[in-house]
C-alpha cells in the first residue's frame, strides 16, 4: 500500500492511514511519500543554496520546522513519543541547516530532498507504535538501488529485501506492518539518490514485484484514474478497469495520478495495481491488470512542453539510412523522441526535453531544411484501439475537428492515438474529447 503526499499531508490523515493499513488484519508493506508540499520546500531550499543564498534557505527551513513541530503534538499523545519524535525532527532540521555552510552540488541536493520521506515514515511508525501496532521502519536506502544507467536494480532489491524480511520472520513476533520511504534510493556508487518526482509509486511497484505481493495499491486523493484530466476538464469519471499498457500510456502522456515507470515492474510480475482514494476508501477506484475491454476508448491525457521539429529533404526520397542518421543525432544528445510522422520528403518528430535543441538543429541542418514549433502539447487517447476495431478513428477525429493539429500518430501500439497541438488549444481539445467520447 503506497500513500501519496496528500494521504499523509496532515496528522489526521496519518492517523487515517494507520487505521486503513491495519483494517484487513493481514501483514502489509507500506510505502509513504513525504507530507504534501515538503518535497517542493526541500527543492526550494536547494535552489537557494545553489544560488548561494543561505538566508533564503534558512527562512524555508525555519518555516518547515515550525510546521513539523506543530504536527508532533497533534499526532502523538504520550510525552515519550512526543519527545522522541521532536528530537528526531530537530536533528533532521539541523542536518538541513548544515548544508548552508558548504559547497553545493546535485549530490547535496539529493540528500536534502530525501529528508521528506525520512520524516513522514518516522512520524508514522512512532504513531503506530504508540497505538500498539507492531510496526517496523525499514530504511529504503538499505535495499532500493539503481544501476549505472540510473535504472532500478530489481535483482539487488529482491535479494536485499528478502534478507531483511527473513530477519524479521525469525523474530518472536511477526510485524503487522512494514513501513518504508518511497522515492529515495542509492545509486550504483552508494550515494543517496531518488526515482524522480512522483517516484514513490515506482518504489511501491518495485517492492510489490520483489516480495510477490498479492496486489499493489496506490492510495491517493482521487477515486482512481479518471477518463480525462480532472484539473482541466469538467465532469470526468473514474475508469474502473485498465490494461497495463493503457495505464502506462496514460501515465507517460500526462495522467499525474501515476508515475510513468510504475506500471512496468507490476506488469512483468503479473501483479494487479489498484488506484484507490484515501478520502473515500470504499470507492471502487481503478484496477490495472492484463484484462482488455474489447473496443473501448478508456481515457484521454495531455503532456505539455513539447517541441516539434520538422526536417525536409529532397534527398530523403528513396534514401536508405536517412531516418537512422536523423535519430542518431537525437540519441547523441540523449534526447528521446515521442512522436514521429514521415512523408516522402520529410519527417516530423516531437521531443519533451529541449535542453539540446540548438545543437540538434545545427546537426539536422546538414540534411535538410529544419523548422521548429515550441509550446506544443501531445493529446493522447487511450483504449483498445486495435486496427481491426472500426470506427474509433472517426469518432476521435470528429471530436478534434475544431482544433488545429500539427501531427497525428496511430499504429505504434494497439492502445493509443496521439495528436500534437498548440498548448493554448489543450483545454478545448480535452473538453471536446470528453464531450464526444464519454458523455
Ligand atoms: P499523490 O501525491 O498521492 O502521489 P498526485 O498528486 O501525484 O498524488 O496524483 C493525484 C492527482 O493526479 C489528482 O489529484 C489529480 O488532480 C491528478 N490527475 C491528473 N490526471 C488525472 C487522471 N486522469 N485521473 C486522476 N487523477 C489525475
Ligand atoms: N515526495 C516525492 C515528490 O513529491 C515523491 C512522491 O511523492 O512520489 O515528488
Ligand atoms: Mg504522485
Amino acid at each position: 500500500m503506497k500513500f501519496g503526499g496528500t494521504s499523509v499531508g496532515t496528522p489526521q490523515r496519518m492517523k487515517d492511514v494507520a487505521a486503513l493499513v491495519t483494517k484487513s488484519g493481514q501483514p502489509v508493506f507500506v510505502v509513504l511519500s513525504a507530507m504534501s508540499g515538503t518535497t517542493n520546500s526541500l527543492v526550494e531550499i536547494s535552489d537557494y543554496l545553489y544560488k548561494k543564498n543561505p538566508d533564503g534557505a534558512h527562512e524555508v527551513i525555519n518555516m518547515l520546522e515550525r510546521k513539523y513541530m506543530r504536527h508532533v503534538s497533534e499526532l502523538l499523545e504520550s510525552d515519550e513519543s512526543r519527545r522522541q519524535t521532536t528530537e528526531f525532527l530537530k536533528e533532521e532540521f539541523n542536518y538541513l541547516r548544515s548544508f548552508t555552510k558548504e559547497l553545493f552540488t546535485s549530490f547535496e541536493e539529493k540528500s536534502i530532498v530525501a529528508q521528506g520521506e525520512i520524516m513522514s515514515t518516522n512520524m508514522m511508525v512512532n504513531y503506530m507504535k504508540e497505538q500498539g501496532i507492531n510496526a517496523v521502519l525499514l530504511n529504503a536506502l538499505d535495499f532500493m538501488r539503481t544501476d549505472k544507467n540510473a535504472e532500478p536494480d530489481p535483482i539487488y532489491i529482491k535479494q536485499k529485501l528478502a534478507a531483511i524480511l527473513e530477519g524479521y520472520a525469525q523474530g518472536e513476533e511477526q510485524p503487522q506492518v512494514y513501513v518504508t520511504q518511497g522515492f529515495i534510493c542509492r545509486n550504483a556508487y552508494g550515494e543517496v539518490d531518488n526515482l524522480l518526482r512522483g517516484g514513490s509509486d515506482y518504489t511501491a511497484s518495485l517492492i510489490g514485484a520483489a516480495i510477490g505481493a498479492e496486489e499493489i495499491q496506490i492510495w491517493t486523493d482521487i477515486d482512481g484514474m479518471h477518463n480525462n484530466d480532472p484539473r482541466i476538464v469538467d465532469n470526468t469519471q473514474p475508469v474502473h478497469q485498465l490494461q497495463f499498457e493503457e495505464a502506462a500510456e496514460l501515465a507517460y502522456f500526462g495522467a499525474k495520478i501515476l508515475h510513468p515507470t510504475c506500471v512496468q515492474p507490476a506488469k512483468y510480475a503479473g501483479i494487479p495495481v489498484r488506484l484507490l482514494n484515501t478520502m473515500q476508501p470504499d470507492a471502487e477506484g481503478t484496477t490495472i491488470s492484463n484484462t482488455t475491454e474489447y473496443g473501448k476508448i478508456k481515457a484521454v491525457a495531455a503532456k505539455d512542453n513539447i517541441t516539434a521539429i520538422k526536417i525536409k529533404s529532397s534527398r530523403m526520397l528513396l534514401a536508405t539510412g536517412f531516418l537512422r542518421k536523423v535519430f542518431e543525432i537525437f540519441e547523441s544528445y540523449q534526447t528521446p523522441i515521442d512522436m514521429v510522422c514521415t512523408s516522402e520528403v520529410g519527417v516530423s518528430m516531437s521531443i519533451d526535453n529541449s535542453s539540446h535543441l540548438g545543437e540538434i538543429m545545427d546537426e539536422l541542418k546538414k540534411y535538410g531544411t529544419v523548422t521548429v514549433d515550441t509550446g506544443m502539447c501531445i493529446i493522447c487517447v487511450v483504449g483498445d484501439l486495435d486496427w481491426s476495431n472500426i470506427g474509433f478513428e472517426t469518432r476521435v477525429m470528429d471530436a478534434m475537428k475544431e482544433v488545429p493539429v500539427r501531427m497525428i500518430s496511430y499504429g505504434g501500439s494497439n492502445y493509443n492515438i496521439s495528436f500534437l497541438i498548440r498548448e493554448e488549444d489543450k483545454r478545448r481539445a480535452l473538453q471536446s474529447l470528453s464531450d464526444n467520447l464519454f458523455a
Side-chain angles (χ1 to χ4, degrees):
M1 299 172 88
K2 174 261 171 176
F3 293 88
T6 30
S7 302
V8 292
T10 62
Q12 185 53 50
R13 293 257 159 84
M14 287 193 170
K15 294 180 186 181
D16 297 343
V17 166
L20 253 174
V21 303
T22 47
K23 204 168 146 191
S24 73
Q26 287 184 310
V28 37
F29 207 118
V30 175
V31 174
L32 299 185
S33 287
M35 297 179 84
S36 61
T38 298
T39 311
N40 286 349
S41 297
L42 296 170
V43 169
E44 205 185 336
I45 292 166
S46 305
D47 287 344
Y48 277 124
L49 295 175
Y50 273 123
K51 290 181 199 141
K52 304 215 176 312
N53 180 350
D55 292 344
H58 267 132
E59 210 170 296
V60 184
I61 295 171
N62 294 342
M63 180 274 298
L64 205 59
E65 182 173 27
R66 283 195 295 274
K67 197 160 100 180
Y68 272 77
M69 289 306 160
R70 283 197 299 274
H71 293 330
V72 174
S73 50
E74 266 183 72
L75 181 69
L76 299 157
E77 282 161 26
S78 78
D79 289 345
E80 182 50 22
S81 25
R82 282 183 182 180
R83 189 193 57 74
Q84 265 183 19
T85 312
T86 306
E87 212 164 274
F88 167 80
L89 290 173
K90 283 210 166 120
E91 267 174 40
E92 279 290 302
F93 287 100
N94 287 337
Y95 176 64
L96 294 179
R97 285 187 189 96
S98 73
F99 287 96
T100 58
K101 303 182 192 90
E102 288 159 20
L103 176 76
F104 203 77
T105 66
S106 69
F107 172 75
E108 279 77 26
E109 179 185 11
K110 283 171 177 166
S111 296
I112 288 185
V113 298
Q115 301 313 310
E117 274 72 10
I118 291 177
M119 293 197 281
S120 65
T121 47
N122 188 284
M123 291 161 73
M124 177 66 85
V125 169
N126 286 355
Y127 171 72
M128 286 179 166
K129 285 185 175 158
E130 195 188 60
Q131 296 300 305
I133 300 166
N134 185 356
V136 294
L137 177 57
L138 304 185
N139 186 352
L141 299 179
D142 291 340
F143 60 88
M144 287 301 292
R145 194 171 80 169
T146 53
D147 62 18
K148 288 196 171 132
N149 301 315
E151 297 289 343
D153 182 341
I155 296 169
Y156 179 92
I157 297 167
K158 190 172 178 166
Q159 285 172 351
K160 273 281 180 182
L161 207 44
I164 293 170
L165 295 179
E166 181 59 27
Y168 284 101
Q170 283 170 2
E172 272 172 30
E173 213 186 325
Q174 301 294 303
Q176 272 172 279
V177 186
Y178 296 91
V179 180
T180 197
Q181 302 87 12
F183 178 58
I184 66 175
C185 62
R186 287 193 190 275
N187 61 24
Y189 312 99
E191 298 156 347
V192 175
D193 209 324
N194 62 63
L195 301 174
L196 305 181
R197 295 304 305 270
S200 296
D201 299 341
Y202 200 10
T203 305
S205 71
L206 287 163
I207 292 177
I211 64 171
E214 217 172 289
E215 73 182 20
I216 297 161
Q217 301 180 345
I218 308 287
W219 289 81
T220 181
D221 57 0
I222 187 163
D223 53 348
M225 176 77 79
H226 277 221
N227 55 15
N228 208 327
D229 194 326
R231 297 166 299 181
I232 300 174
V233 169
D234 301 326
N235 299 324
T236 60
Q237 302 293 327
V239 180
H240 295 309
Q241 169 68 44
L242 283 172
Q243 216 268 6
F244 283 121
E245 308 280 346
E246 293 172 338
E249 298 276 5
L250 287 168
Y252 184 72
F253 287 108
K256 193 200 169 213
I257 184 170
L258 209 56
H259 188 270
T261 44
C262 154
V263 178
Q264 214 71 322
K267 184 182 146 194
Y268 286 129
I271 302 173
V273 178
R274 293 184 65 202
L275 309 180
L276 294 157
N277 188 352
T278 325
M279 283 31 118
Q280 240 180 293
D282 296 325
E284 183 181 342
T286 303
T287 302
I288 304 167
S289 67
N290 273 319
T291 312
T292 305
E293 283 181 276
Y294 178 76
K296 201 162 166 192
I297 299 180
K298 293 290 185 63
V300 180
K303 184 171 168 186
D304 294 328
N305 288 320
I306 305 292
T307 301
I309 301 164
K310 174 152 70 185
I311 166 159
K312 264 177 82 175
S313 166
S314 50
R315 275 174 291 162
M316 185 177 169
L317 187 69
L318 299 179
T320 53
F322 178 80
L323 286 177
R324 178 176 55 78
K325 286 183 199 133
V326 168
F327 289 164
E328 268 174 359
I329 294 171
F330 287 84
E331 187 187 352
S332 67
Y333 290 100
Q334 302 254 301
T335 301
I337 298 167
D338 278 333
M339 289 173 76
V340 185
C341 292
T342 59
S343 83
E344 206 169 65
V345 291
V347 52
S348 272
M349 288 146 298
S350 80
I351 57 171
D352 68 354
N353 171 0
S354 50
S355 47
H356 294 288
L357 185 59
E359 295 105 305
I360 290 173
M361 277 178 63
D362 287 343
E363 295 209 30
L364 286 175
K365 279 177 190 157
K366 293 178 201 153
Y367 298 105
T369 318
V370 181
T371 45
V372 171
D373 295 295
T374 53
M376 308 294 286
C377 150
I378 295 177
I379 303 276
C380 176
V381 180
V382 167
D384 174 31
L385 309 182
D386 188 280
W387 67 277
S388 57
N389 299 343
I390 55 170
F392 66 83
E393 298 94 337
T394 326
R395 288 173 60 206
V396 175
M397 297 292 184
D398 198 48
M400 293 291 285
K401 68 178 178 235
E402 307 287 344
V403 182
V405 174
R406 167 76 177 74
M407 286 167 75
I408 301 177
S409 168
Y410 170 69
S413 90
N414 286 341
Y415 299 99
N416 94 58
I417 176 162
S418 304
F419 298 86
L420 189 72
I421 64 169
R422 287 190 305 239
E423 244 166 43
E424 64 244 44
D425 295 323
K426 175 172 87 168
R427 181 179 294 271
R428 70 187 172 109
L430 288 179
Q431 190 68 60
S432 173
L433 284 162
S434 252
D435 295 345
N436 283 274
L437 301 176
F438 311 125

